[in-house]
PDB file of all heavy atoms in Angstrom:
ATOM      1  N   ARG F 418       2.749  14.032  15.692  1.00 97.00           N
ATOM      2  CA  ARG F 418       1.660  13.816  14.731  1.00 97.00           C
ATOM      3  C   ARG F 418       0.511  14.784  14.973  1.00 97.00           C
ATOM      4  O   ARG F 418      -0.146  15.249  14.044  1.00 97.00           O
ATOM      5  CB  ARG F 418       1.127  12.382  14.840  1.00 97.00           C
ATOM      6  CG  ARG F 418       1.951  11.346  14.141  1.00 97.00           C
ATOM      7  CD  ARG F 418       1.627  11.262  12.653  1.00 97.00           C
ATOM      8  NE  ARG F 418       2.431  10.216  12.049  1.00 97.00           N
ATOM      9  CZ  ARG F 418       1.927   9.066  11.605  1.00 97.00           C
ATOM     10  NH1 ARG F 418       0.640   8.833  11.692  1.00 97.00           N
ATOM     11  NH2 ARG F 418       2.721   8.172  11.067  1.00 97.00           N
ATOM     12  N   ARG F 420       0.708  17.807  16.101  1.00 97.00           N
ATOM     13  CA  ARG F 420       1.069  19.108  15.526  1.00 97.00           C
ATOM     14  C   ARG F 420       0.795  19.118  14.022  1.00 97.00           C
ATOM     15  O   ARG F 420       0.279  20.093  13.468  1.00 97.00           O
ATOM     16  CB  ARG F 420       2.554  19.389  15.763  1.00 97.00           C
ATOM     17  CG  ARG F 420       2.792  19.995  17.120  1.00 97.00           C
ATOM     18  CD  ARG F 420       4.269  20.220  17.419  1.00 97.00           C
ATOM     19  NE  ARG F 420       4.427  19.958  18.834  1.00 97.00           N
ATOM     20  CZ  ARG F 420       5.158  18.996  19.362  1.00 97.00           C
ATOM     21  NH1 ARG F 420       5.880  18.213  18.580  1.00 97.00           N
ATOM     22  NH2 ARG F 420       5.192  18.808  20.646  1.00 97.00           N
ATOM     23  N   GLN F 421       1.142  18.035  13.349  1.00 98.00           N
ATOM     24  CA  GLN F 421       0.931  17.957  11.900  1.00 98.00           C
ATOM     25  C   GLN F 421      -0.559  17.967  11.574  1.00 98.00           C
ATOM     26  O   GLN F 421      -1.005  18.602  10.619  1.00 98.00           O
ATOM     27  CB  GLN F 421       1.580  16.684  11.346  1.00 98.00           C
ATOM     28  CG  GLN F 421       3.095  16.678  11.503  1.00 98.00           C
ATOM     29  CD  GLN F 421       3.690  15.295  11.348  1.00 98.00           C
ATOM     30  OE1 GLN F 421       3.392  14.579  10.403  1.00 98.00           O
ATOM     31  NE2 GLN F 421       4.543  14.900  12.283  1.00 98.00           N
ATOM     32  N   GLN F 422      -1.311  17.232  12.394  1.00 97.00           N
ATOM     33  CA  GLN F 422      -2.749  17.138  12.187  1.00 97.00           C
ATOM     34  C   GLN F 422      -3.386  18.528  12.301  1.00 97.00           C
ATOM     35  O   GLN F 422      -4.219  18.898  11.488  1.00 97.00           O
ATOM     36  CB  GLN F 422      -3.334  16.179  13.230  1.00 97.00           C
ATOM     37  CG  GLN F 422      -4.689  15.603  12.870  1.00 97.00           C
ATOM     38  CD  GLN F 422      -4.683  14.821  11.563  1.00 97.00           C
ATOM     39  OE1 GLN F 422      -3.700  14.162  11.222  1.00 97.00           O
ATOM     40  NE2 GLN F 422      -5.763  14.910  10.800  1.00 97.00           N
ATOM     41  N   GLN F 423      -2.955  19.295  13.307  1.00 97.00           N
ATOM     42  CA  GLN F 423      -3.532  20.622  13.510  1.00 97.00           C
ATOM     43  C   GLN F 423      -3.130  21.593  12.411  1.00 97.00           C
ATOM     44  O   GLN F 423      -3.910  22.426  11.982  1.00 97.00           O
ATOM     45  CB  GLN F 423      -3.113  21.176  14.869  1.00 97.00           C
ATOM     46  CG  GLN F 423      -3.962  20.602  15.992  1.00 97.00           C
ATOM     47  CD  GLN F 423      -3.522  21.063  17.356  1.00 97.00           C
ATOM     48  OE1 GLN F 423      -2.695  21.966  17.476  1.00 97.00           O
ATOM     49  NE2 GLN F 423      -4.062  20.443  18.382  1.00 97.00           N
ATOM     50  N   ARG F 424      -1.895  21.443  11.921  1.00 96.00           N
ATOM     51  CA  ARG F 424      -1.398  22.390  10.921  1.00 96.00           C
ATOM     52  C   ARG F 424      -1.953  22.067   9.549  1.00 96.00           C
ATOM     53  O   ARG F 424      -2.426  22.943   8.837  1.00 96.00           O
ATOM     54  CB  ARG F 424       0.132  22.364  10.892  1.00 96.00           C
ATOM     55  CG  ARG F 424       0.745  23.383   9.932  1.00 96.00           C
ATOM     56  CD  ARG F 424       2.261  23.398  10.072  1.00 96.00           C
ATOM     57  NE  ARG F 424       2.787  22.060   9.959  1.00 96.00           N
ATOM     58  CZ  ARG F 424       3.554  21.462  10.869  1.00 96.00           C
ATOM     59  NH1 ARG F 424       3.919  22.108  11.945  1.00 96.00           N
ATOM     60  NH2 ARG F 424       3.966  20.238  10.685  1.00 96.00           N
ATOM     61  N   ALA F 425      -1.888  20.810   9.139  1.00 97.00           N
ATOM     62  CA  ALA F 425      -2.209  20.470   7.750  1.00 97.00           C
ATOM     63  C   ALA F 425      -3.276  19.388   7.622  1.00 97.00           C
ATOM     64  O   ALA F 425      -3.744  19.103   6.527  1.00 97.00           O
ATOM     65  CB  ALA F 425      -0.946  20.009   7.033  1.00 97.00           C
ATOM     66  N   GLY F 426      -3.653  18.749   8.741  1.00 96.00           N
ATOM     67  CA  GLY F 426      -4.655  17.684   8.671  1.00 96.00           C
ATOM     68  C   GLY F 426      -4.115  16.376   8.145  1.00 96.00           C
ATOM     69  O   GLY F 426      -4.888  15.463   7.826  1.00 96.00           O
ATOM     70  N   LYS F 427      -2.786  16.245   8.042  1.00 96.00           N
ATOM     71  CA  LYS F 427      -2.192  15.008   7.532  1.00 96.00           C
ATOM     72  C   LYS F 427      -0.726  14.946   7.933  1.00 96.00           C
ATOM     73  O   LYS F 427      -0.125  15.976   8.271  1.00 96.00           O
ATOM     74  CB  LYS F 427      -2.332  14.931   6.018  1.00 96.00           C
ATOM     75  CG  LYS F 427      -1.752  16.126   5.271  1.00 96.00           C
ATOM     76  CD  LYS F 427      -1.772  15.890   3.779  1.00 96.00           C
ATOM     77  CE  LYS F 427      -2.786  16.755   3.072  1.00 96.00           C
ATOM     78  NZ  LYS F 427      -2.668  16.783   1.634  1.00 96.00           N
ATOM     79  N   PRO F 428      -0.135  13.742   7.891  1.00 96.00           N
ATOM     80  CA  PRO F 428       1.289  13.622   8.216  1.00 96.00           C
ATOM     81  C   PRO F 428       2.153  14.347   7.184  1.00 96.00           C
ATOM     82  O   PRO F 428       1.770  14.476   6.016  1.00 96.00           O
ATOM     83  CB  PRO F 428       1.563  12.112   8.165  1.00 96.00           C
ATOM     84  CG  PRO F 428       0.227  11.453   8.159  1.00 96.00           C
ATOM     85  CD  PRO F 428      -0.746  12.429   7.592  1.00 96.00           C
ATOM     86  N   ASN F 429       3.327  14.788   7.605  1.00 97.00           N
ATOM     87  CA  ASN F 429       4.211  15.561   6.722  1.00 97.00           C
ATOM     88  C   ASN F 429       4.576  14.822   5.437  1.00 97.00           C
ATOM     89  O   ASN F 429       4.726  15.432   4.390  1.00 97.00           O
ATOM     90  CB  ASN F 429       5.496  15.933   7.468  1.00 97.00           C
ATOM     91  CG  ASN F 429       5.235  16.958   8.565  1.00 97.00           C
ATOM     92  OD1 ASN F 429       4.310  17.754   8.464  1.00 97.00           O
ATOM     93  ND2 ASN F 429       6.043  16.926   9.617  1.00 97.00           N
ATOM     94  N   ALA F 430       4.755  13.512   5.516  1.00 96.00           N
ATOM     95  CA  ALA F 430       5.221  12.763   4.346  1.00 96.00           C
ATOM     96  C   ALA F 430       4.259  12.868   3.172  1.00 96.00           C
ATOM     97  O   ALA F 430       4.666  12.724   2.025  1.00 96.00           O
ATOM     98  CB  ALA F 430       5.440  11.289   4.698  1.00 96.00           C
ATOM     99  N   VAL F 431       2.971  13.100   3.442  1.00 94.00           N
ATOM    100  CA  VAL F 431       2.007  13.147   2.342  1.00 94.00           C
ATOM    101  C   VAL F 431       1.560  14.581   2.001  1.00 94.00           C
ATOM    102  O   VAL F 431       0.570  14.775   1.299  1.00 94.00           O
ATOM    103  CB  VAL F 431       0.777  12.240   2.616  1.00 94.00           C
ATOM    104  CG1 VAL F 431       1.189  10.780   2.594  1.00 94.00           C
ATOM    105  CG2 VAL F 431       0.116  12.572   3.935  1.00 94.00           C
ATOM    106  N   LEU F 432       2.313  15.570   2.481  1.00 95.00           N
ATOM    107  CA  LEU F 432       2.035  16.948   2.052  1.00 95.00           C
ATOM    108  C   LEU F 432       2.300  17.064   0.553  1.00 95.00           C
ATOM    109  O   LEU F 432       3.263  16.499   0.038  1.00 95.00           O
ATOM    110  CB  LEU F 432       2.957  17.933   2.789  1.00 95.00           C
ATOM    111  CG  LEU F 432       2.764  18.130   4.297  1.00 95.00           C
ATOM    112  CD1 LEU F 432       3.870  19.039   4.837  1.00 95.00           C
ATOM    113  CD2 LEU F 432       1.395  18.720   4.603  1.00 95.00           C
ATOM    114  N   SER F 433       1.436  17.807  -0.147  1.00 93.00           N
ATOM    115  CA  SER F 433       1.716  18.081  -1.555  1.00 93.00           C
ATOM    116  C   SER F 433       2.885  19.073  -1.614  1.00 93.00           C
ATOM    117  O   SER F 433       3.243  19.683  -0.602  1.00 93.00           O
ATOM    118  CB  SER F 433       0.476  18.684  -2.218  1.00 93.00           C
ATOM    119  OG  SER F 433       0.264  19.986  -1.704  1.00 93.00           O
ATOM    120  N   GLU F 436       1.767  22.372  -0.360  1.00 95.00           N
ATOM    121  CA  GLU F 436       1.622  22.410   1.101  1.00 95.00           C
ATOM    122  C   GLU F 436       2.993  22.446   1.779  1.00 95.00           C
ATOM    123  O   GLU F 436       3.189  23.121   2.784  1.00 95.00           O
ATOM    124  CB  GLU F 436       0.813  21.201   1.589  1.00 95.00           C
ATOM    125  CG  GLU F 436      -0.654  21.264   1.192  1.00 95.00           C
ATOM    126  CD  GLU F 436      -1.369  19.930   1.334  1.00 95.00           C
ATOM    127  OE1 GLU F 436      -0.719  18.866   1.221  1.00 95.00           O
ATOM    128  OE2 GLU F 436      -2.592  19.953   1.547  1.00 95.00           O
TER     129      GLU F 436
END
Side-chain angles (χ1 to χ4, degrees):
R418 280 277 182 110
R420 275 177 216 117
Q421 296 163 49
Q422 200 59 34
Q423 280 176 10
R424 183 174 52 236
K427 55 173 109 168
N429 291 332
V431 292
L432 292 174
S433 69
E436 290 164 332

